[in-house]
Amino acid sequence: MGNSGWRVTIGDQILVFDDISRGRFDDREALRAAKHVTVFASHAHGDHFDSGILERYACYENACFVLSDDITAQANWPLERIAFLREGENSLLGDLAIHAHGSTDEGVSFDVTVGGEGDALRLFHAGDLNDWHWLEENDPAWTASQAEAFARILGGIPADPAIDVAFFPVDPRMGRDHERGALQFTKALRPRAFVPMHFGAHFVPPQGFCERMAPWTRVICPGEAGETIAVSR
């Protein structure tokens, strides 16, 4: 659904993350039929947040919103259906347990558990959480500060119970070592499935990327925007 945007269907629930598609991939019938639709936005940057999601999804009575608190509320938004979260805060919406971890850029990352004990699924959407090192720009102080911030946030994310599906940036614009944050994340947390994002229109994995990740996770490579991916445990 664009850059870092995903629509996740779990049973009778739909979770939408960082949708900037402007409705190109909306399945109105599925949205109406879902028991709950929860729309997330990790921060205010235009490659993660489009304010039009408030109007598009608010027309569904089963929809609510979980937004990073760096997003400025507008008077015409359905504020009674919006939870604004900052790092360290939680929200409980039906059988969704949501915790906001930090980001090394703006906003938050989302740690979402769906369902109760015994049948729970845990999803992690990183937003802009990454080791944004940009080594080829040769700013050692900034690079070191990013690595320190990433290590701090990563150390605060519990590895147990295991993350079932993690959506995490693998952005080729960083140049060499652009997979470094992904490798650190998977080594530390060992998600069962890892889905790259934040790569633009097409994902071309670095040579040997899946093999390097294999000891810690299973990589599921996305294709074209709008493509459906089935993930099983």
Side-chain angles (χ1 to χ4, degrees):
M1 300 177 76
N3 191 56
S4 297
W6 302 93
R7 182 173 66 236
V8 180
T9 301
I10 302 173
D12 58 3
Q13 298 211 50
I14 293 177
L15 286 67
V16 179
F17 294 93
D18 286 9
D19 179 7
I20 58 169
S21 69
R22 303 195 176 193
R24 283 185 298 148
F25 311 114
D26 285 3
D27 184 338
R28 293 179 177 85
E29 184 177 344
L31 290 165
R32 283 192 296 267
K35 183 178 179 181
H36 298 294
V37 176
T38 309
V39 182
F40 296 82
S42 64
H43 61 291
H45 288 171
D47 59 344
H48 290 258
F49 175 66
D50 169 25
S51 62
I53 63 171
L54 276 298
E55 180 178 353
R56 272 177 44 218
Y57 290 103
C59 65
Y60 300 100
E61 294 181 358
N62 53 357
C64 60
F65 302 85
V66 181
L67 310 180
S68 167
D69 78 336
D70 71 315
I71 295 171
T72 302
Q74 305 297 312
N76 62 333
W77 288 3
L79 297 178
E80 71 283 358
R81 295 161 67 183
I82 302 174
F84 291 94
L85 297 184
R86 67 181 65 188
E87 181 178 0
E89 292 186 334
N90 301 296
S91 183
L92 186 63
L93 300 173
D95 64 351
L96 286 189
I98 303 158
H99 181 80
H101 293 284
S103 172
T104 43
D105 196 342
E106 298 295 327
V108 297
S109 49
F110 292 115
D111 194 339
V112 183
T113 299
V114 186
E117 187 174 350
D119 64 349
L121 285 168
R122 185 181 174 199
L123 308 177
F124 188 90
H125 187 281
D128 261 357
L129 172 65
N130 197 3
D131 184 357
W132 297 107
H133 48 274
W134 308 99
L135 295 174
E136 292 170 2
E137 293 187 6
N138 196 28
D139 184 344
W142 190 86
T143 296
S145 70
Q146 282 287 294
E148 182 179 344
F150 183 64
R152 176 188 66 80
I153 296 167
L154 192 58
I157 303 171
D160 185 42
I163 295 169
D164 290 289
V165 184
F167 301 93
F168 192 90
V170 183
D171 191 329
R173 295 175 304 167
M174 281 195 288
R176 68 184 166 93
D177 294 342
H178 66 272
E179 66 193 70
R180 188 168 76 180
L183 285 165
Q184 292 171 317
F185 180 89
T186 55
K187 287 178 183 179
L189 298 174
R190 306 194 176 210
R192 294 190 172 101
F194 179 96
V195 183
M197 64 180 188
H198 211 286
F199 48 77
H202 303 282
F203 180 65
V204 179
Q207 186 174 6
F209 174 70
C210 295
E211 290 79 4
R212 287 188 290 277
M213 299 279 276
W216 303 286
T217 192
R218 171 171 58 107
V219 177
I220 300 175
C221 289
E224 299 291 330
E227 179 180 330
T228 298
I229 303 171
V231 179
S232 58
R233 279 181 161 174

